[in-house]
Amino acid sequence: MVMHMTKPSIDRRVARTRATLHQTLMSLILKQGYEAITIRDICDAANVGRSTFYAHYTSKEDLMRSGIENLRQVLLDRQRDALATPGDRSHRSLGFSLTLFEHARDHIDLHRGLVGGGTVALGIIRQILSDVVRDEIAATGDKKSSDAIPRELVVQYVVGAYMAVLTWWLDRGAKPPPTEVDRMFRRLATDGVLPHLAEGGSP
Amino acid sequence: MVMHMTKPSIDRRVARTRATLHQTLMSLILKQGYEAITIRDICDAANVGRSTFYAHYTSKEDLMRSGIENLRQVLLDRQRDALATPGDRSHRSLGFSLTLFEHARDHIDLHRGLVGGGTVALGIIRQILSDVVRDEIAATGDKKSSDAIPRELVVQYVVGAYMAVLTWWLDRGAKPPPTEVDRMFRRLATDGVLPHLAEGGSP
DNA sequence: GCACAATTGGACAAGGTGTACGTTAATGGG
DNA sequence: CCCATTAACGTACACCTTGTCCAATTGTGC
């Protein structure tokens, strides 16, 4: 109801400060790694008073968290749009995959910073992805786990595998186009890994 | 059985100190989480002088690293034994899975500490697991990736998925027996996740 | 233009880090 | 059993980061 809460004409200074801090954090992560960064480093590199930092965030983790929360909205919106569109992508299982790869391609530096963003970032991203996948599973089919595999285990399995593929892709400069790496991930997830391990097929 | 190579009469004091530090680190991880631990905390809890700590390790990460390297040997030995035995486990794809689940069951606190051991521990474990899986893939079959999926991507996919399942299992107290969670992981990996998403099978 | 909010820079205490060194105590070879 | 060796101790030190406070300055929005 009260839409005026988040944006009742935000002071340009705070917007500028926060944006600068986010950008600086990401670039510093790429330069020296997340753990090695101090709040001093961020403020120095961003030309922002240290007092100002504490006026906006309580810690390095808080800054990182805030940056990721922005991302969450973007992803949820994109997924909502994709689900609303009766196109080919909506009713495809693992539909989140291509959407995410495309978003990563459009913001490579951001995503590279995120996957290198230490325990905090990876934990939050895992959380966000888990929510997305859980929703998608619930929407795609209401069949309960056929045998005895808990649904949450399937979610964690998919998320873990996906984040590994995403990291692999980003670490190699995101060379293959999103459509291709998406196809590879989907194949591994749906057909299983056996065809890519041994010729034998099913023993 | 007494490997005289690596231990040409190690002073009992250093053995005791190092073991105590490792144990203390693990217990502290379970209590307050890896990131929140200071070297002071470790020394106080272990009743070890802070100077002594620096006589053995250079940092918290160094201590963690050293503990994991011990684990690497244990795992490699176990895998070597498993491969040498012509039993049912050796020529099964993803054969590392059950071995690891069993080892985790036998050292639950250790493994819980490791998966909660921050970026350092997770990175090293991922490295170790990648090596194991890579070797296993190379040994299981020498078929090159059928279509266009790089072998290293398959490795990362499997490792990411496995670590997610292992974490899920440990976080729930490792209730299901290793054989069962191993069966679930193998099913997801070989049959794919589709049977557990929707009834439709292949669209 | 003016009131107000944001930013700044400095100062401060508290606490962690690494290193150095003299002292104490345990170890293991002779 | 004794003693040289070596580890462990603890204290002290300089350095850095953190988080908080405040007065002064600068930029915004109305």
Side-chain angles (χ1 to χ4, degrees), chain A residues 70-184:
Chain A
N70 287 350
L71 179 66
R72 161 177 265 142
Q73 281 311 315
V74 175
L75 292 185
L76 289 186
D77 288 354
R78 266 180 105 128
Q79 193 195 28
R80 189 170 43 74
D81 292 351
L83 287 179
T85 305
D88 55 347
R89 181 178 306 177
S90 62
H91 60 290
R92 195 160 54 163
S93 2
L94 273 30
F96 71 96
S97 168
L98 182 55
T99 298
L100 252 182
F101 279 124
E102 287 173 342
H103 185 274
R105 187 239 299 131
D106 296 340
H107 309 273
I108 291 199
D109 281 354
L110 170 67
H111 278 256
R112 271 213 268 240
L114 290 181
V115 300
T119 305
V120 189
L122 286 183
I124 300 181
I125 293 183
R126 188 174 296 269
Q127 182 74 42
I128 296 179
L129 258 183
S130 299
D131 293 344
V132 171
V133 173
R134 203 175 294 114
D135 285 358
E136 184 167 298
I137 286 185
T140 306
D142 27 21
K143 167 199 183 186
K144 67 179 175 184
S145 277
S146 55
D147 234 322
I149 301 190
R151 178 163 300 185
E152 188 58 23
L153 174 58
V154 181
V155 171
Q156 294 305 316
Y157 174 94
V158 171
V159 171
Y162 183 83
M163 289 183 65
V165 172
L166 177 63
T167 301
W168 172 88
W169 186 59
L170 288 172
D171 282 349
R172 270 153 198 76
K175 277 296 296 295
T179 53
E180 189 165 341
V181 64
D182 166 67
R183 184 179 56 82
M184 297 191 287

Side-chain angles (χ1 to χ4, degrees), chain B:
Chain B
M1 255 356 148
V2 228
M3 317 276 200
H4 301 278
M5 309 188 324
T6 57
K7 301 187 176 182
S9 73
I10 273 254
D11 197 311
R12 299 176 184 175
R13 288 171 289 180
V14 321
R16 194 184 68 86
T17 298
R18 290 180 182 166
T20 303
L21 288 177
H22 280 130
Q23 292 173 345
T24 305
L25 175 60
M26 289 305 165
S27 69
L28 283 183
I29 288 179
L30 298 182
K31 275 182 203 155
Q32 45 187 284
Y34 178 76
E35 324 280 355
I37 300 176
T38 74
I39 295 185
R40 276 193 129 83
D41 293 337
I42 305 176
C43 295
D44 289 354
N47 270 323
V48 164
R50 208 159 56 88
S51 331
T52 308
F53 179 95
Y54 286 108
H56 292 273
Y57 307 101
T58 67
S59 64
K60 190 174 54 165
E61 284 71 26
D62 191 32
L63 174 59
M64 175 62 94
R65 220 179 292 271
S66 133
I68 302 183
E69 289 308 319
N70 287 351
L71 178 67
R72 161 178 264 143
Q73 281 312 313
V74 175
L75 292 186
L76 289 187
D77 288 354
R78 264 180 106 128
Q79 193 195 27
R80 188 171 44 76
D81 292 350
L83 287 178
T85 304
D88 54 348
R89 181 180 306 177
S90 65
H91 60 289
R92 196 163 53 165
S93 4
L94 272 31
F96 70 97
S97 168
L98 182 54
T99 298
L100 251 182
F101 279 125
E102 285 173 343
H103 184 274
R105 187 239 300 131
D106 295 340
H107 309 274
I108 291 199
D109 282 354
L110 170 67
H111 278 257
R112 271 211 269 241
L114 290 181
V115 300
T119 305
V120 189
L122 286 183
I124 300 181
I125 293 183
R126 187 174 297 268
Q127 183 75 43
I128 296 178
L129 258 184
S130 298
D131 293 344
V132 171
V133 172
R134 204 175 296 115
D135 285 359
E136 182 166 297
I137 286 185
T140 305
D142 27 19
K143 166 199 183 186
K144 67 181 178 185
S145 276
S146 55
D147 234 321
I149 301 190
R151 177 163 299 186
E152 187 58 25
L153 174 58
V154 181
V155 171
Q156 293 306 314
Y157 175 94
V158 171
V159 170
Y162 182 83
M163 288 183 66
V165 172
L166 178 63
T167 301
W168 172 87
W169 186 57
L170 289 172
D171 282 350
R172 270 154 199 76
K175 276 297 297 292
T179 53
E180 188 166 342
V181 64
D182 166 67
R183 184 180 55 83
M184 296 192 286
F185 167 71
R186 176 173 282 108
R187 272 248 301 280
L188 286 174
T190 58
D191 301 348
V193 297
L194 270 195
H196 307 279
L197 292 183
E199 196 78 72
S202 43

